[in-house]
PDB file of all heavy atoms in Angstrom:
ATOM      1  N   GLY A   1       7.293   9.590  16.559  1.00  0.00           N
ATOM      2  CA  GLY A   1       7.117   9.894  15.146  1.00  0.00           C
ATOM      3  C   GLY A   1       8.226   9.277  14.319  1.00  0.00           C
ATOM      4  O   GLY A   1       9.352   9.097  14.799  1.00  0.00           O
ATOM      5  N   TYR A   2       7.911   8.943  13.066  1.00  0.00           N
ATOM      6  CA  TYR A   2       8.877   8.221  12.225  1.00  0.00           C
ATOM      7  C   TYR A   2       8.535   8.499  10.767  1.00  0.00           C
ATOM      8  O   TYR A   2       7.348   8.561  10.411  1.00  0.00           O
ATOM      9  CB  TYR A   2       8.779   6.730  12.534  1.00  0.00           C
ATOM     10  CG  TYR A   2       9.813   5.865  11.868  1.00  0.00           C
ATOM     11  CD1 TYR A   2      11.089   5.752  12.400  1.00  0.00           C
ATOM     12  CD2 TYR A   2       9.511   5.150  10.713  1.00  0.00           C
ATOM     13  CE1 TYR A   2      12.044   4.950  11.796  1.00  0.00           C
ATOM     14  CE2 TYR A   2      10.458   4.352  10.105  1.00  0.00           C
ATOM     15  CZ  TYR A   2      11.723   4.254  10.649  1.00  0.00           C
ATOM     16  OH  TYR A   2      12.675   3.459  10.044  1.00  0.00           O
ATOM     17  N   PRO A   3       9.536   8.674   9.897  1.00  0.00           N
ATOM     18  CA  PRO A   3       9.226   8.903   8.481  1.00  0.00           C
ATOM     19  C   PRO A   3       8.439   7.736   7.886  1.00  0.00           C
ATOM     20  O   PRO A   3       8.752   6.573   8.158  1.00  0.00           O
ATOM     21  CB  PRO A   3      10.614   9.023   7.830  1.00  0.00           C
ATOM     22  CG  PRO A   3      11.515   9.445   8.941  1.00  0.00           C
ATOM     23  CD  PRO A   3      10.989   8.766  10.168  1.00  0.00           C
ATOM     24  N   LEU A   4       7.438   8.050   7.103  1.00  0.00           N
ATOM     25  CA  LEU A   4       6.640   7.016   6.443  1.00  0.00           C
ATOM     26  C   LEU A   4       6.965   6.946   4.954  1.00  0.00           C
ATOM     27  O   LEU A   4       7.339   5.894   4.448  1.00  0.00           O
ATOM     28  CB  LEU A   4       5.151   7.297   6.648  1.00  0.00           C
ATOM     29  CG  LEU A   4       4.192   6.262   6.069  1.00  0.00           C
ATOM     30  CD1 LEU A   4       4.413   4.898   6.708  1.00  0.00           C
ATOM     31  CD2 LEU A   4       2.731   6.698   6.274  1.00  0.00           C
ATOM     32  N   LEU A   5       6.861   8.071   4.259  1.00  0.00           N
ATOM     33  CA  LEU A   5       7.183   8.059   2.826  1.00  0.00           C
ATOM     34  C   LEU A   5       8.649   7.730   2.605  1.00  0.00           C
ATOM     35  O   LEU A   5       9.007   7.012   1.669  1.00  0.00           O
ATOM     36  CB  LEU A   5       6.856   9.423   2.206  1.00  0.00           C
ATOM     37  CG  LEU A   5       7.057   9.549   0.698  1.00  0.00           C
ATOM     38  CD1 LEU A   5       6.156   8.580  -0.045  1.00  0.00           C
ATOM     39  CD2 LEU A   5       6.791  10.974   0.241  1.00  0.00           C
ATOM     40  N   ALA A   6       9.528   8.237   3.498  1.00  0.00           N
ATOM     41  CA  ALA A   6      10.965   7.971   3.363  1.00  0.00           C
ATOM     42  C   ALA A   6      11.311   6.537   3.745  1.00  0.00           C
ATOM     43  O   ALA A   6      12.422   6.081   3.466  1.00  0.00           O
ATOM     44  CB  ALA A   6      11.761   8.940   4.225  1.00  0.00           C
ATOM     45  N   ASN A   7      10.384   5.853   4.387  1.00  0.00           N
ATOM     46  CA  ASN A   7      10.542   4.421   4.626  1.00  0.00           C
ATOM     47  C   ASN A   7      10.043   3.712   3.375  1.00  0.00           C
ATOM     48  O   ASN A   7       8.839   3.515   3.185  1.00  0.00           O
ATOM     49  CB  ASN A   7       9.729   4.000   5.854  1.00  0.00           C
ATOM     50  CG  ASN A   7       9.620   2.493   5.997  1.00  0.00           C
ATOM     51  OD1 ASN A   7      10.364   1.741   5.366  1.00  0.00           O
ATOM     52  ND2 ASN A   7       8.700   2.042   6.812  1.00  0.00           N
ATOM     53  N   GLY A   8      10.967   3.337   2.515  1.00  0.00           N
ATOM     54  CA  GLY A   8      10.581   2.784   1.220  1.00  0.00           C
ATOM     55  C   GLY A   8       9.616   1.628   1.315  1.00  0.00           C
ATOM     56  O   GLY A   8       8.758   1.441   0.447  1.00  0.00           O
ATOM     57  N   GLN A   9       9.725   0.831   2.382  1.00  0.00           N
ATOM     58  CA  GLN A   9       8.900  -0.365   2.467  1.00  0.00           C
ATOM     59  C   GLN A   9       7.429  -0.063   2.754  1.00  0.00           C
ATOM     60  O   GLN A   9       6.606  -0.970   2.752  1.00  0.00           O
ATOM     61  CB  GLN A   9       9.459  -1.326   3.514  1.00  0.00           C
ATOM     62  CG  GLN A   9      10.816  -1.906   3.109  1.00  0.00           C
ATOM     63  CD  GLN A   9      11.223  -3.071   3.967  1.00  0.00           C
ATOM     64  OE1 GLN A   9      10.827  -4.203   3.741  1.00  0.00           O
ATOM     65  NE2 GLN A   9      12.032  -2.798   4.979  1.00  0.00           N
ATOM     66  N   SER A  10       7.109   1.205   2.956  1.00  0.00           N
ATOM     67  CA  SER A  10       5.693   1.565   3.018  1.00  0.00           C
ATOM     68  C   SER A  10       5.060   1.516   1.627  1.00  0.00           C
ATOM     69  O   SER A  10       3.829   1.492   1.509  1.00  0.00           O
ATOM     70  CB  SER A  10       5.526   2.967   3.600  1.00  0.00           C
ATOM     71  OG  SER A  10       6.020   3.950   2.701  1.00  0.00           O
ATOM     72  N   SER A  11       5.900   1.521   0.581  1.00  0.00           N
ATOM     73  CA  SER A  11       5.429   1.474  -0.818  1.00  0.00           C
ATOM     74  C   SER A  11       4.345   2.513  -1.074  1.00  0.00           C
ATOM     75  O   SER A  11       3.396   2.265  -1.826  1.00  0.00           O
ATOM     76  CB  SER A  11       4.913   0.072  -1.174  1.00  0.00           C
ATOM     77  OG  SER A  11       5.914  -0.900  -1.024  1.00  0.00           O
ATOM     78  N   ALA A  12       4.486   3.669  -0.460  1.00  0.00           N
ATOM     79  CA  ALA A  12       3.430   4.677  -0.511  1.00  0.00           C
ATOM     80  C   ALA A  12       3.170   5.206  -1.919  1.00  0.00           C
ATOM     81  O   ALA A  12       2.060   5.635  -2.227  1.00  0.00           O
ATOM     82  CB  ALA A  12       3.781   5.836   0.423  1.00  0.00           C
ATOM     83  N   LEU A  13       4.189   5.195  -2.776  1.00  0.00           N
ATOM     84  CA  LEU A  13       4.032   5.708  -4.134  1.00  0.00           C
ATOM     85  C   LEU A  13       3.835   4.606  -5.162  1.00  0.00           C
ATOM     86  O   LEU A  13       3.733   4.887  -6.353  1.00  0.00           O
ATOM     87  CB  LEU A  13       5.256   6.548  -4.519  1.00  0.00           C
ATOM     88  CG  LEU A  13       5.480   7.816  -3.700  1.00  0.00           C
ATOM     89  CD1 LEU A  13       6.750   8.524  -4.161  1.00  0.00           C
ATOM     90  CD2 LEU A  13       4.289   8.755  -3.797  1.00  0.00           C
ATOM     91  N   SER A  14       3.805   3.366  -4.714  1.00  0.00           N
ATOM     92  CA  SER A  14       3.632   2.258  -5.654  1.00  0.00           C
ATOM     93  C   SER A  14       2.247   2.317  -6.284  1.00  0.00           C
ATOM     94  O   SER A  14       1.241   2.413  -5.576  1.00  0.00           O
ATOM     95  CB  SER A  14       3.816   0.922  -4.934  1.00  0.00           C
ATOM     96  OG  SER A  14       3.435  -0.144  -5.790  1.00  0.00           O
ATOM     97  N   PRO A  15       2.158   2.231  -7.614  1.00  0.00           N
ATOM     98  CA  PRO A  15       0.833   2.238  -8.247  1.00  0.00           C
ATOM     99  C   PRO A  15      -0.006   1.038  -7.822  1.00  0.00           C
ATOM    100  O   PRO A  15      -1.231   1.104  -7.809  1.00  0.00           O
ATOM    101  CB  PRO A  15       1.160   2.192  -9.749  1.00  0.00           C
ATOM    102  CG  PRO A  15       2.537   1.637  -9.834  1.00  0.00           C
ATOM    103  CD  PRO A  15       3.241   2.116  -8.610  1.00  0.00           C
ATOM    104  N   ILE A  16       0.652  -0.063  -7.456  1.00  0.00           N
ATOM    105  CA  ILE A  16      -0.078  -1.240  -6.978  1.00  0.00           C
ATOM    106  C   ILE A  16      -0.828  -0.899  -5.694  1.00  0.00           C
ATOM    107  O   ILE A  16      -2.001  -1.262  -5.531  1.00  0.00           O
ATOM    108  CB  ILE A  16       0.899  -2.411  -6.753  1.00  0.00           C
ATOM    109  CG1 ILE A  16       1.503  -2.853  -8.091  1.00  0.00           C
ATOM    110  CG2 ILE A  16       0.215  -3.583  -6.065  1.00  0.00           C
ATOM    111  CD1 ILE A  16       2.600  -3.887  -7.960  1.00  0.00           C
ATOM    112  N   ARG A  17      -0.154  -0.191  -4.790  1.00  0.00           N
ATOM    113  CA  ARG A  17      -0.807   0.206  -3.534  1.00  0.00           C
ATOM    114  C   ARG A  17      -1.912   1.218  -3.786  1.00  0.00           C
ATOM    115  O   ARG A  17      -2.994   1.149  -3.191  1.00  0.00           O
ATOM    116  CB  ARG A  17       0.234   0.764  -2.572  1.00  0.00           C
ATOM    117  CG  ARG A  17      -0.312   1.288  -1.258  1.00  0.00           C
ATOM    118  CD  ARG A  17       0.522   0.819  -0.111  1.00  0.00           C
ATOM    119  NE  ARG A  17       0.527  -0.630   0.004  1.00  0.00           N
ATOM    120  CZ  ARG A  17       1.466  -1.331   0.640  1.00  0.00           C
ATOM    121  NH1 ARG A  17       2.477  -0.703   1.208  1.00  0.00           N
ATOM    122  NH2 ARG A  17       1.391  -2.645   0.707  1.00  0.00           N
ATOM    123  N   ILE A  18      -1.667   2.169  -4.655  1.00  0.00           N
ATOM    124  CA  ILE A  18      -2.648   3.223  -4.923  1.00  0.00           C
ATOM    125  C   ILE A  18      -3.888   2.663  -5.617  1.00  0.00           C
ATOM    126  O   ILE A  18      -5.020   3.036  -5.298  1.00  0.00           O
ATOM    127  CB  ILE A  18      -1.996   4.342  -5.755  1.00  0.00           C
ATOM    128  CG1 ILE A  18      -0.927   5.061  -4.906  1.00  0.00           C
ATOM    129  CG2 ILE A  18      -3.041   5.339  -6.244  1.00  0.00           C
ATOM    130  CD1 ILE A  18      -0.074   6.035  -5.662  1.00  0.00           C
ATOM    131  N   LEU A  19      -3.691   1.716  -6.538  1.00  0.00           N
ATOM    132  CA  LEU A  19      -4.831   1.126  -7.238  1.00  0.00           C
ATOM    133  C   LEU A  19      -5.727   0.321  -6.298  1.00  0.00           C
ATOM    134  O   LEU A  19      -6.918   0.144  -6.575  1.00  0.00           O
ATOM    135  CB  LEU A  19      -4.340   0.230  -8.377  1.00  0.00           C
ATOM    136  CG  LEU A  19      -3.788   0.947  -9.607  1.00  0.00           C
ATOM    137  CD1 LEU A  19      -3.144  -0.049 -10.565  1.00  0.00           C
ATOM    138  CD2 LEU A  19      -4.894   1.730 -10.311  1.00  0.00           C
ATOM    139  N   ALA A  20      -5.164  -0.178  -5.211  1.00  0.00           N
ATOM    140  CA  ALA A  20      -5.947  -0.983  -4.272  1.00  0.00           C
ATOM    141  C   ALA A  20      -6.635  -0.141  -3.200  1.00  0.00           C
ATOM    142  O   ALA A  20      -7.301  -0.689  -2.320  1.00  0.00           O
ATOM    143  CB  ALA A  20      -5.045  -2.024  -3.614  1.00  0.00           C
ATOM    144  N   LEU A  21      -6.510   1.188  -3.250  1.00  0.00           N
ATOM    145  CA  LEU A  21      -7.091   2.053  -2.216  1.00  0.00           C
ATOM    146  C   LEU A  21      -8.606   1.893  -2.046  1.00  0.00           C
ATOM    147  O   LEU A  21      -9.103   1.996  -0.919  1.00  0.00           O
ATOM    148  CB  LEU A  21      -6.767   3.519  -2.522  1.00  0.00           C
ATOM    149  CG  LEU A  21      -5.332   3.977  -2.259  1.00  0.00           C
ATOM    150  CD1 LEU A  21      -5.160   5.440  -2.656  1.00  0.00           C
ATOM    151  CD2 LEU A  21      -4.951   3.781  -0.798  1.00  0.00           C
ATOM    152  N   PRO A  22      -9.375   1.658  -3.103  1.00  0.00           N
ATOM    153  CA  PRO A  22     -10.831   1.544  -2.892  1.00  0.00           C
ATOM    154  C   PRO A  22     -11.238   0.342  -2.041  1.00  0.00           C
ATOM    155  O   PRO A  22     -12.369   0.315  -1.545  1.00  0.00           O
ATOM    156  CB  PRO A  22     -11.381   1.410  -4.323  1.00  0.00           C
ATOM    157  CG  PRO A  22     -10.337   2.048  -5.194  1.00  0.00           C
ATOM    158  CD  PRO A  22      -9.042   1.690  -4.537  1.00  0.00           C
ATOM    159  N   LEU A  23     -10.371  -0.630  -1.869  1.00  0.00           N
ATOM    160  CA  LEU A  23     -10.711  -1.840  -1.128  1.00  0.00           C
ATOM    161  C   LEU A  23     -10.341  -1.711   0.345  1.00  0.00           C
ATOM    162  O   LEU A  23      -9.393  -1.006   0.690  1.00  0.00           O
ATOM    163  CB  LEU A  23      -9.974  -3.043  -1.723  1.00  0.00           C
ATOM    164  CG  LEU A  23     -10.269  -3.380  -3.190  1.00  0.00           C
ATOM    165  CD1 LEU A  23      -9.338  -4.490  -3.666  1.00  0.00           C
ATOM    166  CD2 LEU A  23     -11.728  -3.782  -3.370  1.00  0.00           C
ATOM    167  N   PRO A  24     -11.047  -2.393   1.230  1.00  0.00           N
ATOM    168  CA  PRO A  24     -10.629  -2.456   2.645  1.00  0.00           C
ATOM    169  C   PRO A  24      -9.242  -3.081   2.751  1.00  0.00           C
ATOM    170  O   PRO A  24      -8.814  -3.840   1.866  1.00  0.00           O
ATOM    171  CB  PRO A  24     -11.693  -3.355   3.286  1.00  0.00           C
ATOM    172  CG  PRO A  24     -12.859  -3.307   2.362  1.00  0.00           C
ATOM    173  CD  PRO A  24     -12.293  -3.120   0.984  1.00  0.00           C
ATOM    174  N   LEU A  25      -8.549  -2.804   3.837  1.00  0.00           N
ATOM    175  CA  LEU A  25      -7.152  -3.209   3.984  1.00  0.00           C
ATOM    176  C   LEU A  25      -6.929  -4.693   3.723  1.00  0.00           C
ATOM    177  O   LEU A  25      -6.046  -5.067   2.941  1.00  0.00           O
ATOM    178  CB  LEU A  25      -6.649  -2.848   5.386  1.00  0.00           C
ATOM    179  CG  LEU A  25      -5.209  -3.293   5.714  1.00  0.00           C
ATOM    180  CD1 LEU A  25      -4.212  -2.597   4.800  1.00  0.00           C
ATOM    181  CD2 LEU A  25      -4.899  -3.006   7.180  1.00  0.00           C
ATOM    182  N   GLY A  26      -7.696  -5.557   4.374  1.00  0.00           N
ATOM    183  CA  GLY A  26      -7.482  -6.991   4.212  1.00  0.00           C
ATOM    184  C   GLY A  26      -7.626  -7.445   2.778  1.00  0.00           C
ATOM    185  O   GLY A  26      -6.804  -8.227   2.272  1.00  0.00           O
ATOM    186  N   TYR A  27      -8.655  -6.955   2.098  1.00  0.00           N
ATOM    187  CA  TYR A  27      -8.860  -7.323   0.703  1.00  0.00           C
ATOM    188  C   TYR A  27      -7.849  -6.641  -0.214  1.00  0.00           C
ATOM    189  O   TYR A  27      -7.459  -7.181  -1.252  1.00  0.00           O
ATOM    190  CB  TYR A  27     -10.277  -6.970   0.269  1.00  0.00           C
ATOM    191  CG  TYR A  27     -11.359  -7.675   1.054  1.00  0.00           C
ATOM    192  CD1 TYR A  27     -12.621  -7.109   1.212  1.00  0.00           C
ATOM    193  CD2 TYR A  27     -11.116  -8.910   1.661  1.00  0.00           C
ATOM    194  CE1 TYR A  27     -13.617  -7.751   1.938  1.00  0.00           C
ATOM    195  CE2 TYR A  27     -12.101  -9.561   2.383  1.00  0.00           C
ATOM    196  CZ  TYR A  27     -13.354  -8.978   2.529  1.00  0.00           C
ATOM    197  OH  TYR A  27     -14.326  -9.614   3.238  1.00  0.00           O
ATOM    198  N   ALA A  28      -7.423  -5.441   0.167  1.00  0.00           N
ATOM    199  CA  ALA A  28      -6.437  -4.721  -0.639  1.00  0.00           C
ATOM    200  C   ALA A  28      -5.115  -5.480  -0.697  1.00  0.00           C
ATOM    201  O   ALA A  28      -4.445  -5.499  -1.736  1.00  0.00           O
ATOM    202  CB  ALA A  28      -6.214  -3.322  -0.071  1.00  0.00           C
ATOM    203  N   LEU A  29      -4.728  -6.113   0.409  1.00  0.00           N
ATOM    204  CA  LEU A  29      -3.485  -6.884   0.416  1.00  0.00           C
ATOM    205  C   LEU A  29      -3.554  -8.028  -0.571  1.00  0.00           C
ATOM    206  O   LEU A  29      -2.566  -8.354  -1.257  1.00  0.00           O
ATOM    207  CB  LEU A  29      -3.210  -7.402   1.832  1.00  0.00           C
ATOM    208  CG  LEU A  29      -2.955  -6.331   2.887  1.00  0.00           C
ATOM    209  CD1 LEU A  29      -2.886  -6.966   4.269  1.00  0.00           C
ATOM    210  CD2 LEU A  29      -1.682  -5.555   2.581  1.00  0.00           C
ATOM    211  N   THR A  30      -4.714  -8.671  -0.666  1.00  0.00           N
ATOM    212  CA  THR A  30      -4.898  -9.741  -1.650  1.00  0.00           C
ATOM    213  C   THR A  30      -4.870  -9.178  -3.062  1.00  0.00           C
ATOM    214  O   THR A  30      -4.257  -9.766  -3.965  1.00  0.00           O
ATOM    215  CB  THR A  30      -6.229 -10.464  -1.400  1.00  0.00           C
ATOM    216  OG1 THR A  30      -6.193 -11.081  -0.114  1.00  0.00           O
ATOM    217  CG2 THR A  30      -6.464 -11.532  -2.451  1.00  0.00           C
ATOM    218  N   ALA A  31      -5.536  -8.044  -3.278  1.00  0.00           N
ATOM    219  CA  ALA A  31      -5.541  -7.431  -4.606  1.00  0.00           C
ATOM    220  C   ALA A  31      -4.129  -7.052  -5.032  1.00  0.00           C
ATOM    221  O   ALA A  31      -3.739  -7.243  -6.193  1.00  0.00           O
ATOM    222  CB  ALA A  31      -6.445  -6.198  -4.610  1.00  0.00           C
ATOM    223  N   GLU A  32      -3.346  -6.508  -4.100  1.00  0.00           N
ATOM    224  CA  GLU A  32      -1.962  -6.159  -4.415  1.00  0.00           C
ATOM    225  C   GLU A  32      -1.168  -7.403  -4.805  1.00  0.00           C
ATOM    226  O   GLU A  32      -0.387  -7.377  -5.770  1.00  0.00           O
ATOM    227  CB  GLU A  32      -1.306  -5.475  -3.212  1.00  0.00           C
ATOM    228  CG  GLU A  32      -1.817  -4.069  -2.943  1.00  0.00           C
ATOM    229  CD  GLU A  32      -1.097  -3.415  -1.774  1.00  0.00           C
ATOM    230  OE1 GLU A  32      -0.007  -3.902  -1.392  1.00  0.00           O
ATOM    231  OE2 GLU A  32      -1.610  -2.410  -1.243  1.00  0.00           O
ATOM    232  N   ALA A  33      -1.341  -8.483  -4.071  1.00  0.00           N
ATOM    233  CA  ALA A  33      -0.637  -9.722  -4.397  1.00  0.00           C
ATOM    234  C   ALA A  33      -1.027 -10.211  -5.789  1.00  0.00           C
ATOM    235  O   ALA A  33      -0.164 -10.626  -6.582  1.00  0.00           O
ATOM    236  CB  ALA A  33      -0.956 -10.794  -3.349  1.00  0.00           C
ATOM    237  N   ALA A  34      -2.322 -10.149  -6.112  1.00  0.00           N
ATOM    238  CA  ALA A  34      -2.792 -10.575  -7.429  1.00  0.00           C
ATOM    239  C   ALA A  34      -2.202  -9.702  -8.532  1.00  0.00           C
ATOM    240  O   ALA A  34      -1.782 -10.204  -9.586  1.00  0.00           O
ATOM    241  CB  ALA A  34      -4.320 -10.531  -7.472  1.00  0.00           C
TER     242      ALA A  34
END
């Protein structure tokens, strides 16, 4: 087990990550980059 939210690089609270939630992972990564 390992902290996820406390690992900042998970960007768990980033609005960019949250806005891309409706997309599948592969496409979400592209949407985040855009």
